[in-house]
Amino acid sequence: MTQTLPKIIPVNELKNTALIMQTCKESNVPIVITRNGYGEAVMMSISLYEELFAKLHEALLINEALEEINKGAKGADGFKVLDDLKKKYGQ
């Protein structure tokens, strides 16, 4: 999977907010805003933010489950869980 690199713009280009907002929406990549050549902030579309936040949440849940397993928690049989859900909700 290839990942598009973020766009980088200096802070003085923030004057044209309509164009920057359109770029955020259309490019679906983060825009890094720099000051004196160093990163200061990141702008992104709401859809990209929601996608990244959802991925972060999933990763946190996976890490939490792995920590529980490492501490000795007993895992569930995936096929049994699916069968139980099918019985409960149909299909």
Side-chain angles (χ1 to χ4, degrees):
M1 178 172 100
T2 59
Q3 183 175 350
T4 307
L5 295 174
K7 294 184 180 293
I8 300 172
I9 62 171
V11 71
N12 63 351
E13 287 186 23
L14 288 178
K15 294 172 187 162
N16 191 348
T17 56
L19 178 63
I20 293 170
M21 297 295 284
Q22 190 66 27
T23 302
C24 277
K25 191 174 184 179
E26 289 175 355
S27 68
N28 211 31
V29 296
I31 297 176
V32 176
I33 301 159
T34 62
R35 178 181 291 164
N36 299 323
Y38 296 97
E40 287 286 321
V42 177
M43 285 182 68
M44 65 182 76
S45 67
I46 288 292
S47 63
L48 180 59
Y49 172 80
E50 289 172 343
E51 178 185 329
L52 292 174
F53 194 81
K55 287 179 182 178
L56 173 63
H57 182 68
E58 290 170 2
L60 291 172
L61 291 174
I62 290 169
N63 285 337
E64 185 179 304
L66 290 172
E67 285 178 25
E68 288 178 14
I69 290 170
N70 287 337
K71 290 178 181 176
K74 186 174 189 245
D77 181 303
F79 293 112
K80 182 177 179 333
V81 170
L82 290 175
D83 286 341
D84 292 345
L85 288 172
K86 285 178 185 176
K87 288 176 188 171
K88 184 174 182 177
Y89 297 105
Q91 214 182 63

